Amino acid sequence: MQSFFKGKKILITGACGTIGRELVRQLLEDFDISELIGIDNNESELFFLEQTFSKHPQAHFFLADIRDKDKVERAARDMNVIFHTAAFKHVILCERSPFEAVQTNILGIQNIISAAIHNGVKNVVFTSSDKAVNPTNVMGTSKLMGERLITAANSNARGQGPLFSSTRFGNVLGSRGSVIPIFREQIRNGGPVTLTDPEMTRFIMSIREAVRLVIDSSFLMKGGEVFITKMPVIRIKDLAEVMIEQLASEYGHRPGDISIEIIGTKPGEKMYEELMNIEETRRSIELPRYFAVMPAFKGLYRSIQYEYPEVLSDKVTNPYHSGNETPLTKAQLKEFLVQNQLLHEDPEICKHPQERYWP
């Protein structure tokens, strides 16, 4: 993989987001790339990002919105690889303003596709979401449409045109808006810790791991497929209890004094998390760290051989969702949180409020 990235020019959209920022860090610190361009429409965060990586002369950061087709096309000029992470991700806000989600999560992706084709980019990786599987809300629907646009772009590509693929993963623990910072603030303030439903399960992974797997996808991709990351499963109730046990005393509280309050699920929220549905199993293969879902409609103008190193199985029979998988024990969950340094604040992520807003 080092040889794949050596001398490459990389464009990252959404560079100020949780995934985008970690992509910037890993690519600059771990790979010998010749240039990295990061774009985002968050002026203040972009300013701080530029200060953080000021010692890397090959890194350049620009204000840009992926809705601006011309600006995206200029940013993609001479690039070899695009990692597209820019998106609206908050379910409630997308429900309230659905066309805003359409303009960023769907039309924005088409702008990325057009820019890649126009500039002869070699590889484009779109970071999708578990919410794209059997979507129940606007955000998930927009992410699913993004995957479809990426697959169609690959199907329609001619000759030596770009390769397009998606990578789909679940909850990135510790990211902005995730439940860990909320639970932490609630524990700091003596509780209660608010839980939607004690039976709810989720896939989890760390930010560092999520990004390394996104990078892997750009190396493994053949074009048009969706890479689904294998992830451990937890009960959200176990997460709340482990965090109380580990953090209460640090904030001057006894664990037994911090209660858990059940507040009910959000509108459109699932009890379990889906990463691959039953229809997709029929065209999937299993790799050591992924499932790879082949496109339903193959390339129109070029033949693609979907061959990968270390194929475990070319037959997948079970949908991949958290309700089917065995959750981590509380001891395993504690070890995961400690190993990935997820219990305490990340100084680069802003402090979270303790309230959970249900409109």
Side-chain angles (χ1 to χ4, degrees):
M1 188 161 55
Q2 286 288 346
S3 61
F4 174 80
F5 283 102
K6 184 176 178 61
K8 289 288 196 302
K9 297 180 179 182
I10 313 293
L11 171 64
I12 299 174
T13 72
C16 295
T18 302
I19 298 298
R21 184 187 186 91
E22 180 64 14
L23 263 171
V24 169
R25 189 195 67 76
Q26 290 193 27
L27 288 167
L28 288 176
E29 295 180 0
D30 300 342
F31 298 92
D32 184 21
I33 61 174
S34 66
E35 185 178 9
L36 184 147
I37 290 179
I39 63 173
D40 205 291
N41 63 1
N42 187 329
E43 181 197 21
S44 294
E45 288 298 321
L46 197 67
F47 173 80
F48 295 130
L49 187 68
E50 187 167 47
Q51 303 309 302
T52 300
F53 296 103
S54 60
K55 294 182 180 179
H56 296 272
Q58 74 273 45
H60 308 284
F61 301 95
F62 299 95
L63 272 172
D65 195 309
I66 60 169
R67 299 182 182 188
D68 186 337
K69 183 178 180 180
D70 293 337
K71 188 66 177 283
V72 170
E73 190 169 288
R74 290 195 298 273
R77 195 168 296 158
D78 297 327
M79 294 294 105
N80 304 118
V81 181
I82 297 176
F83 291 103
H84 178 45
T85 76
F88 287 155
K89 68 175 186 178
H90 291 290
V91 170
I92 291 173
L93 295 178
C94 289
E95 288 296 311
R96 189 176 297 141
S97 305
F99 193 62
E100 294 298 314
V102 168
Q103 291 183 88
T104 294
N105 293 4
I106 298 178
L107 301 182
I109 289 177
Q110 187 58 48
N111 289 341
I112 296 294
I113 291 168
S114 298
I117 294 171
H118 180 81
N119 288 290
V121 175
K122 297 299 183 184
N123 298 72
V124 179
V125 178
F126 164 54
T127 55
S128 187
S129 163
D130 60 281
K131 293 179 177 62
V133 183
N134 297 328
T136 59
N137 49 59
V138 168
M139 195 283 265
T141 303
S142 68
K143 282 289 193 176
L144 175 60
M145 192 63 216
E147 288 186 6
R148 294 292 191 266
L149 287 172
I150 289 290
T151 299
N154 200 82
S155 175
N156 294 329
R158 296 172 182 263
Q160 300 301 310
L163 298 180
F164 296 90
S165 290
S166 302
T167 181
R168 185 193 295 166
F169 46 80
N171 289 281
V172 178
L173 286 185
S175 62
R176 299 181 184 187
S178 71
V179 75
I180 279 188
I182 296 172
F183 282 176
R184 184 190 301 124
E185 291 307 309
Q186 292 176 336
I187 295 167
R188 188 199 305 273
N189 289 280
V193 172
T194 54
L195 190 68
T196 54
D197 191 294
E199 300 303 317
M200 187 173 288
T201 59
R202 288 292 184 268
F203 290 102
I204 60 164
M205 68 192 320
S206 68
I207 297 169
R208 183 182 297 269
E209 183 183 20
V211 166
R212 183 48 61 104
L213 295 173
V214 171
I215 292 172
D216 284 352
S217 298
S218 67
F219 174 72
L220 289 171
M221 64 190 291
K222 305 301 179 183
E225 69 270 75
V226 178
F227 289 103
I228 297 169
T229 303
K230 293 181 179 178
M231 306 170 66
V233 171
I234 64 166
R235 295 184 185 90
I236 302 301
K237 180 175 182 289
D238 290 344
L239 176 62
E241 292 175 348
V242 169
M243 289 189 66
I244 290 170
E245 292 166 4
Q246 296 299 307
L247 295 178
S249 60
E250 293 188 21
Y251 299 134
H253 309 292
R254 294 189 305 173
D257 292 339
I258 297 180
S259 63
I260 293 178
E261 178 184 346
I262 308 300
I263 60 174
T265 58
K266 291 182 285 189
E269 188 175 32
K270 298 178 181 180
M271 287 295 296
Y272 54 85
E273 188 170 57
E274 298 177 279
L275 282 172
M276 178 171 56
N277 62 34
I278 188 66
E279 188 276 329
E280 290 174 322
T281 61
R282 294 181 292 138
R283 45 190 172 89
S284 299
I285 62 173
E286 184 177 1
L287 307 176
R289 303 176 73 183
Y290 302 95
F291 295 100
V293 181
M294 304 302 107
F297 301 96
K298 301 298 170 64
L300 297 175
Y301 303 108
R302 58 189 180 191
S303 177
I304 301 174
Q305 300 300 314
Y306 290 99
E307 298 175 349
Y308 307 93
E310 300 182 88
V311 173
L312 299 183
S313 175
D314 59 1
K315 296 186 186 303
V316 178
T317 57
N318 293 323
Y320 192 47
H321 69 72
S322 62
N324 286 344
E325 306 297 317
T326 302
L328 297 180
T329 65
K330 289 174 68 173
Q332 291 170 328
L333 175 54
K334 174 186 171 184
E335 182 181 5
F336 181 92
L337 295 173
V338 171
Q339 284 184 346
N340 290 286
Q341 301 177 333
L342 290 167
L343 287 169
H344 299 92
E345 291 95 335
D346 183 339
E348 294 181 349
I349 295 180
C350 60
K351 183 178 178 181
H352 277 250
Q354 66 166 321
E355 293 82 6
R356 302 182 77 181
Y357 172 57
W358 262 227

